[in-house]
Amino acid sequence: LQLRERLHHQSVRDQLTGLFNRRYMEESLERELLRAERHSLDLGIIMLDIDHFKKVNDTHGHDIGDRVLESLGAMLPNLIRGEDIACRYGGEEFILIMPGASIEDTMRRAEEIRRLIRTRISVPLPDGGDLHITASSGVAVHPTHGAGADGIVKAADDALYRSKRGGRDRVTLAEG
């Protein structure tokens, strides 16, 4: 039974961050979209990306980059509600699925997470300094910003890229 539980944990969790992995995110998003439609509820999505992460790896090495990802993975579950789902989407991108969250609630949470990442994540560097990071986010809410899993993720991704183009360390709401 312990082996089965460990294998299940490994199949749905990202090894580095401890957050749910992309496969679990895709399954959960489909399930939560069906529930939202059935009960006429909103479903908030926050797509978050660590700013200048490639530069972190290039400048400080992948060990420091891994510590940044681990730090964010440890922080995110403490910043969301129990019913929310925090996932590593890939690389330095994360998705938060927020069942029943309105546009206002999702934007407020995204902004709070952005602020806390900026002020609380500090990774010690070998030279004695500390690395501080920022993150950009895109917010989309079903059904306002997209239909189906692909539509809502694309809307959040487009908003994320508008945050990046707009100067980073910001939250942008999807168009529509």
Side-chain angles (χ1 to χ4, degrees), residues 11 33 36 43 49 79 88 99-100 108 113-114 131 134 151:
S11 73
L33 281 168
L43 178 69
D49 184 85
L79 303 179
R88 183 174 180 196
R108 186 173 27 255
I113 290 169
R114 184 203 62 78
L131 175 66
T134 61

Side-chain angles (χ1 to χ4, degrees), residues 67-78:
R67 285 197 223 140
V68 167
L69 294 171
E70 289 168 348
S71 297
L72 186 56
M75 177 188 265
L76 284 177
N78 298 314

Side-chain angles (χ1 to χ4, degrees), residues 4-147:
R4 184 181 302 156
E5 185 168 323
R6 191 171 75 226
L7 290 173
H8 175 8
H9 180 82
Q10 290 174 349
S11 73
V12 299
R13 296 282 181 170
D14 175 69
Q15 184 177 7
L16 184 61
T17 64
L19 299 175
F20 290 108
N21 62 25
R22 185 174 179 153
R23 184 175 68 198
Y24 185 85
M25 183 278 302
E26 290 169 348
E27 292 171 5
S28 296
L29 183 55
E30 291 288 347
R31 182 181 63 248
E32 293 302 332
L33 281 168
L34 289 172
R35 185 177 317 190
E37 289 172 5
R38 188 170 50 251
H39 298 289
S40 298
L41 297 171
D42 289 335
L43 178 69
I45 300 290
I46 300 171
M47 183 176 277
L48 181 144
D49 184 85
I50 299 169
D51 294 329
H52 303 292
F53 189 70
K54 182 180 181 334
K55 185 177 177 184
V56 169
N57 280 333
D58 290 348
T59 303
H60 303 290
H62 290 278
D63 287 344
I64 298 297
D66 285 352
R67 285 197 223 140
V68 167
L69 294 171
E70 289 168 348
S71 297
L72 186 56
M75 177 188 265
L76 284 177
N78 298 314
L79 303 179
I80 59 175
R81 306 169 302 172
E83 65 267 27
D84 296 340
I85 304 165
C87 309
R88 183 174 180 196
Y89 190 60
E92 69 276 12
E93 289 186 327
F94 299 81
I95 287 187
L96 305 176
I97 301 170
M98 302 176 64
S102 67
I103 292 171
E104 295 79 15
D105 292 339
T106 308
M107 284 293 291
R108 186 173 27 255
R109 180 62 50 172
E111 184 57 40
E112 179 182 357
I113 290 169
R114 184 203 62 78
R115 182 182 56 77
L116 291 171
I117 288 171
R118 177 177 240 255
T119 59
R120 291 197 183 161
I121 292 185
S122 176
V123 175
L125 296 171
D127 65 6
D130 290 318
L131 175 66
H132 298 275
I133 64 165
T134 61
S136 299
S137 296
V139 169
V141 176
H142 171 83
T144 304
H145 299 116

